[in-house]
Amino acid sequence: MSEKVASDNVTNPATASIPTFDRAAGARILARSFYRELRENGYTPKQLLALSTELIDLITQDLQAERKGAA
């Protein structure tokens, strides 16, 4: 994630002024809030694991597409 955040700061002028540390902390806060909200709405740990697995799969596909585009 830090590589993506660092590259965002370079390529996106709107986020260039946001320090990497603040973005990483923001991601942690967002993840915890998202988790808490889903648990409060009845999602089970198994369902959250399935959701997390799907998110990781989508991110992996994006990264692979970026690598193919850069090659």
Side-chain angles (χ1 to χ4, degrees):
M1 183 175 147
S2 59
E3 290 176 26
K4 178 66 175 155
V5 171
S7 67
D8 280 353
N9 287 344
V10 173
T11 59
N12 187 349
T15 60
S17 63
I18 301 171
T20 302
F21 178 76
D22 289 346
R23 292 181 60 83
R28 279 191 301 278
I29 292 167
L30 179 60
R32 289 177 185 194
S33 296
F34 187 50
Y35 172 83
R36 193 169 34 253
E37 184 74 23
L38 291 172
R39 287 292 285 150
E40 288 173 1
N41 283 287
Y43 281 77
T44 67
K46 283 186 177 184
Q47 290 171 322
L48 292 175
L49 185 58
L51 170 78
S52 299
T53 302
E54 183 63 26
L55 285 171
I56 290 169
D57 185 49
L58 293 168
I59 294 165
T60 301
Q61 289 174 27
D62 279 350
L63 291 171
Q64 289 172 341
E66 283 180 16
R67 283 189 202 128
K68 287 179 183 176

